[in-house]
Amino acid sequence: MNSPTTPRGLPWTSEEIMAVVGSRSLRDGMSCFVGIGIPSTVANLARALHAPNLLLVYESGVLGSKPTRLPLSIGDGELAETADAVVTVPEIFNYWLQGGHIDMGYLSSAQIDKMGNLNTTVIGDDYRNPAVRLPGAGGAPEIASFCREVTVIMRHRSRAFVPELDFLTSVGLGESPETRSELGLTGAGPRTVITDLGVLEPHPEDRELTLVAVHPGVTVEDVREQTRWPLRAARRIEETEPPTEEELEVLRALKARS
Amino acid sequence: MVEHFELSQAVSKYVQDGNTVALEGFTHLIPFAAGHEIIRQGRRDLTLVRMTPDLIYDQMIGAGCVRKLLFSWGGNPGVGSLWRFRDAVENGWPAPLEIEEHSHAGLANRYAAGASGMPFTVTKSYLGTTLGEIAEHAAFLDCPFTGQKVTAIAAVNPDVGIVHAQRADRAGNVHIWGISGVLKEVVLASRRSIVTVEEVVDELDRRPGDIVIPAMAVDAICEAPGGAHPSYVQDYYERDNAFYRKWLEISKERDSFMEWLTESVLEAR
């Protein structure tokens, strides 16, 4: 499913490049709180490639799940049957997530701003009369608050990379370096934003999201065109290592089984 | 005192127009049969509570049973939008839908506070978010011990809690295994509870990691085999993912939804 902004003629889709780049940032032995969709694809790809001991945590209350195919929902039976432990929903959120036991959270979003704040609630100015009603918060606000760090993974489109959110569902990097700790949020927030065009990271000084890498065939201008705030770019922009044959094969086999 | 009922009798005895009703089940054990019975009995003006409205509340909203919805994630997992829910919020069809939204942690803790007999419980949710600004049932407090800002999450105590389980015994003890979500919390938080089960057995065969909700917390047990379809019941049947995908096309337009509702719920018994 190539999108209009994915360069033509490359042997991977925009979803595949996001999944591959995302999986590379997961290290073996980490615990990872995963939502359904692309975060789940990323985590299971990493588990199949280089992180067999990645501990997958799903909000339905499963810890250490080892699915052989990608689940359609966060509560599929295989997730529970292959888990180290199954706990209740209050326990997974209160003890495990808010208690500070999870290393990495993977989130996707409908809107993001330059400080990494996320909106998954409504599109439009009037909350009571929205242009688009999105699914809502789910587990995202607490994942963004309490995982040691967060990776955001989403398609890079101008309607999503906005100067101002219509609704702030999940807290990003904060207005000042102290914002998050003053709010009592124990995690660091988004350390990486992976899109189908490139990779953004917080600037070391003021934490504004800054373009640090573009994927093969993408230019800095392409990324700026899809970002509705004046996007800062690092002095040296890396080019993402293209997906290897092995990465693509394993990813496609995983999708085919699902 | 727990009693065994036909599902239709339990719904007509315990679910009244205007009630606050929670049909729970986090992906697993969603009480579809009970939801369909409520639709057939034409209940109106319900306030429904559920973390993930899922297909069952999409159907009840489209059927016109619902005045207000409390929820934390309103999508069709892995598939897309809940179109009847969106049509009600965006266009007021078949009737305007009031909403009150939470995060999963927020709503799970509302049930937990309700189950504990507390007016509220304390978390660190919603700090710094718009959710914190709009939430009617969350407020910020200073911790009396450390001064840290924390969030008070109000209890929810539904008039009726409805869940599905694998089994119950004749004495009305309920046996659940696999993902249990907030099932115990919703049964204990609700003034009345209806439990539909795959089967009623003479004796519960306990297994590792299972839970038993003792009969004293339950009002009605109804045998409803297949009562969680198209969600799943661990060790009985799998999630019908094909139906979850198909729901997108059934529910997208009002006409195709109404046709499905008539054929599969109103005229089906």
Side-chain angles (χ1 to χ4, degrees):
Chain A
M1 186 170 64
N2 267 297
S3 64
T5 51
T6 302
R8 287 171 199 286
L10 290 174
W12 55 78
T13 66
S14 58
E15 194 190 340
E16 286 172 343
I17 186 90
M18 287 194 286
V20 165
V21 174
S23 73
R24 291 172 183 166
S25 69
L26 287 169
R27 296 180 301 279
D28 201 20
M30 283 178 109
S31 53
C32 184
F33 205 111
V34 287
I36 218 64
I38 195 148
S40 179
T41 307
V42 167
N44 281 294
L45 178 61
R47 208 165 56 81
L49 284 168
H50 59 269
N53 303 306
L54 191 68
L55 190 117
L56 304 189
V57 181
Y58 287 85
E59 65 197 13
S60 50
V62 299
L63 293 149
S65 192
K66 294 166 273 294
T68 54
R69 56 195 162 85
L70 297 174
L72 185 67
S73 87
I74 38 78
D76 280 20
E78 197 190 9
L79 295 177
E81 284 156 23
T82 61
D84 297 331
V86 181
V87 301
T88 68
V89 166
E91 178 174 335
I92 199 88
F93 282 103
N94 291 346
Y95 297 177
W96 293 94
L97 183 57
Q98 190 173 262
H101 298 280
I102 313 296
D103 295 319
M104 173 76 92
Y106 255 87
L107 292 173
S108 201
S109 187
Q111 286 184 331
I112 184 169
D113 68 15
K114 68 178 181 183
M115 299 312 290
N117 297 304
L118 306 177
N119 170 20
T120 52
T121 303
V122 287
I123 303 291
D125 305 331
D126 183 1
Y127 169 74
R128 291 284 156 201
N129 190 16
V132 180
R133 176 63 236 192
L134 300 166
E142 288 79 16
I143 294 172
S145 297
F146 305 119
C147 286
R148 290 195 181 93
E149 61 180 292
V150 169
T151 299
V152 180
I153 192 154
M154 58 193 283
R155 286 177 205 278
H156 212 128
R157 299 293 175 275
S158 59
R159 66 168 185 272
F161 283 69
V162 295
E164 202 171 336
L165 301 181
D166 293 332
F167 192 102
L168 199 165
T169 314
S170 303
V171 176
L173 295 151
E175 278 159 30
S176 81
E178 293 80 35
T179 307
R180 287 187 61 98
S181 58
E182 280 168 7
L183 289 170
L185 311 183
T186 46
R191 286 262 177 84
T192 317
V193 177
I194 297 167
T195 80
D196 54 345
L197 300 182
V199 179
L200 291 75
E201 288 176 4
H203 190 276
E205 275 154 34
D206 61 10
R207 299 169 330 286
E208 181 176 321
L209 290 176
T210 303
L211 185 67
V212 296
V214 290
H215 300 326
V218 177
T219 67
V220 174
E221 274 322 297
D222 294 335
V223 187
R224 286 206 164 114
E225 216 167 90
Q226 296 293 337
T227 309
R228 268 170 47 211
W229 72 77
L231 177 65
R232 214 188 265 168
R235 210 164 292 155
R236 266 191 51 189
I237 303 278
E238 308 280 334
E239 182 171 293
T240 309
E241 283 293 320
T244 64
E245 269 178 41
E246 190 202 1
E247 285 170 328
L248 288 174
E249 257 171 46
V250 173
L251 173 58
R252 286 167 189 169
L254 192 62
K255 296 287 268 190
R257 271 202 301 280
S258 305
Chain B
M1 179 63 190
V2 65
E3 289 176 87
H4 290 262
F5 284 99
E6 290 290 323
L7 178 54
S8 59
Q9 293 173 316
V11 166
S12 88
K13 177 164 181 179
Y14 288 119
V15 183
Q16 309 303 329
D17 287 355
N19 277 176
T20 296
V21 184
L23 292 88
E24 270 296 350
F26 203 85
T27 308
H28 183 209
L29 299 169
I30 300 179
F32 275 89
H36 291 172
E37 187 56 38
I38 291 171
I39 293 174
R40 273 193 294 273
Q41 294 196 13
R43 294 280 81 83
R44 288 291 177 270
D45 293 322
L46 300 178
T47 293
L48 291 185
V49 193
R50 190 176 152 74
M51 295 182 62
T52 57
D54 204 88
L55 273 46
I56 185 59
Y57 278 13
D58 213 33
Q59 294 164 2
M60 294 174 78
I61 291 166
C65 304
V66 191
R67 184 180 63 79
K68 183 172 180 180
L69 174 70
L70 274 66
F71 74 106
S72 48
W73 193 84
N76 180 347
V79 178
S81 287
L82 294 175
W83 285 101
R84 295 301 94 224
F85 161 64
R86 279 188 61 176
D87 201 14
V89 174
E90 293 171 11
N91 309 309
W93 193 91
L97 179 68
E98 261 182 78
I99 57 167
E100 182 190 312
E101 64 184 298
H102 294 274
S103 67
H104 281 342
L107 191 45
N109 279 303
R110 291 200 66 186
Y111 285 130
S116 310
M118 287 292 292
F120 65 88
T121 187
V122 176
T123 74
K124 296 199 288 182
S125 292
Y126 305 160
L127 294 155
T129 70
T130 319
L131 286 164
E133 291 165 24
I134 61 158
E136 300 156 49
H137 290 93
F140 301 109
L141 305 175
D142 294 328
C143 167
F145 306 106
T146 63
Q148 192 196 332
K149 204 171 177 188
V150 293
T151 313
I153 303 275
V156 64
N157 293 101
D159 296 308
V160 192
I162 303 178
V163 304
H164 190 78
Q166 276 97 345
R167 289 173 188 170
D169 64 16
R170 302 202 188 274
N173 299 299
V174 174
H175 192 197
I176 297 168
W177 61 92
I179 288 171
S180 71
V182 287
L183 297 183
K184 194 189 252 186
E185 285 76 11
V186 77
V187 166
L188 293 174
S190 300
R191 291 179 187 93
R192 298 286 186 185
S193 62
I194 300 174
V195 181
T196 57
V197 295
E198 287 299 317
E199 54 180 335
V200 174
V201 295
D202 291 327
E203 202 164 337
L204 303 178
D205 58 328
R206 301 295 309 274
R207 52 192 78 200
D210 61 0
I211 63 172
V212 168
I213 302 179
M216 66 176 171
V218 180
D219 294 285
I221 302 279
C222 311
E223 207 166 30
H229 177 269
S231 80
Y232 74 103
V233 175
Q234 191 162 325
D235 296 327
Y236 282 80
Y237 44 91
E238 304 231 330
R239 193 171 189 267
D240 186 352
N241 284 337
F243 187 81
Y244 272 81
R245 289 197 182 90
K246 195 171 156 214
W247 183 248
L248 198 61
E249 113 203 17
I250 295 171
S251 63
K252 186 102 195 235
E253 303 299 333
R254 294 169 187 172
D255 287 350
S256 52
F257 166 73
M258 289 308 292
E259 203 176 301
W260 174 88
L261 185 72
T262 305
E263 221 169 83
S264 306
V265 179
L266 297 175
E267 289 174 2
R269 277 308 325 257

